[in-house]
């Protein structure tokens, strides 16, 4: 019988200790959430840029394929020669009485619309309610590229800026619709890149 009393007393004591432990609590509290601080610290280590994203021509790099490394271009300037800075076309410099309109056929959309020479091909298409591809809207990627079926792009459009297309691409009829202004009537296939 002594064993039975000892076991009962041990069980009772254990139950009392467990009850007191749960009633009082452990005192452990979850640490504060530091995830936002970690993200801010990581963001602070990334250098700031002055251009909107995305600018990568493809995954893994922002330089166009086949880019020529510095110092290896043909026809480099001699010492003392100054480079003529290639200035882009400024559509805002066109006076209101000099604005001209051209018939642009959008092949995939199956419609022809009038586009002013101070309005981009992309803006004109969006004004029609078409969902045309684009990303940077500054001529620095090829997301908005289109193909002019009628011949070299330079015969039909002027770019206000072009940092992505090579001369060969433009000779093949490719243009950047976000910065392309018409100078003649033509047919374009949007969403086509070189």
């Amino acid at each position: 019988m002594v064993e039975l009393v000892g076991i009962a007393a041990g069980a009772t004591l254990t139950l009392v200790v467990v009850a007191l432990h749960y009633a009082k609590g452990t005192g452990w509290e979850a640490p504060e959430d530091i995830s936002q601080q970690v993200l801010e610290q990581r963001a602070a280590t990334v250098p700031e840029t002055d251009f909107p994203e995305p600018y990568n021509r493809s995954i893994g790099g922002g330089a166009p394929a086949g880019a020529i490394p510095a110092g290896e271009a043909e026809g480099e300037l001699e010492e003392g020669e100054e480079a003529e800075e290639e200035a882009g076309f400024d559509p805002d410099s066109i006076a209101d009485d000099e604005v001209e309109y051209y018939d642009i056929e959008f092949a995939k959309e199956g419609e022809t619309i009038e586009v002013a020479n101070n309005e981009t091909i992309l803006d004109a298409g969006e004004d029609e309610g078409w969902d045309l591809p684009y990303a940077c809207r500054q001529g620095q990627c090829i997301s908005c590229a289109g193909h002019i079926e009628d011949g070299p792009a330079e015969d039909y459009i002027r770019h206000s800026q072009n940092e992505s297309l090579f001369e060969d691409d433009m000779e093949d009829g490719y243009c950047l619709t976000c910065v392309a202004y018409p100078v003649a009537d033509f047919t374009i296939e949007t969403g086509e890149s070189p």
Side-chain angles (χ1 to χ4, degrees):
M1 181 134 169
V2 175
E3 283 183 26
L4 188 60
V5 172
I7 292 175
T12 305
L13 184 62
T14 303
L15 287 174
V16 168
V17 169
V18 168
L20 286 175
H21 175 75
Y22 279 107
K24 190 168 114 177
T26 62
W28 180 86
E29 290 182 23
E32 74 174 278
D33 182 17
I34 62 167
S35 60
Q36 188 61 36
Q37 292 171 338
V38 170
L39 289 175
E40 288 170 4
Q41 285 177 342
R42 287 183 180 172
T45 64
V46 176
E48 286 294 321
T49 59
D50 59 351
F51 53 83
E53 292 295 335
Y55 279 143
N56 287 343
R57 188 171 171 115
S58 64
I59 294 175
I68 300 170
E72 294 183 19
E74 290 181 25
E76 288 189 19
L77 297 175
E78 295 295 322
E79 193 173 316
E81 258 187 88
E82 288 186 31
E84 264 185 51
E85 191 167 322
E86 209 173 284
F89 163 66
D90 181 16
D92 296 331
S93 66
I94 299 175
D96 290 340
D97 60 342
E98 295 178 5
V99 174
E100 298 175 7
Y101 293 87
Y102 300 100
D103 291 328
I104 311 301
E105 179 186 352
F106 286 76
K108 289 183 179 176
E109 289 73 19
E111 289 190 43
T112 300
I113 60 172
E114 261 191 1
V115 181
N117 64 344
N118 64 352
E119 180 180 22
T120 67
I121 306 302
L122 177 62
D123 288 341
E126 287 181 330
D127 288 348
E128 294 294 314
W130 300 328
D131 185 22
L132 302 177
Y134 70 89
C136 74
R137 292 182 99 82
Q138 295 179 1
Q140 297 176 338
C141 71
I142 61 167
S143 299
C144 68
H147 183 254
I148 298 172
E149 299 174 353
D150 303 324
E154 292 173 327
D155 294 348
Y156 299 96
I157 58 100
R158 293 168 83 183
H159 284 120
S160 62
Q161 181 154 337
N162 174 10
E163 296 185 14
S164 300
L165 293 178
F166 295 114
E167 287 295 321
D168 292 347
D169 298 333
M170 292 181 54
E171 285 175 18
D172 290 340
Y174 291 98
C175 70
L176 303 174
T177 62
C178 72
V179 290
Y181 297 84
V183 296
D185 298 339
F186 61 88
T187 301
I188 186 166
E189 285 221 27
T190 55
E192 299 292 323
S193 56

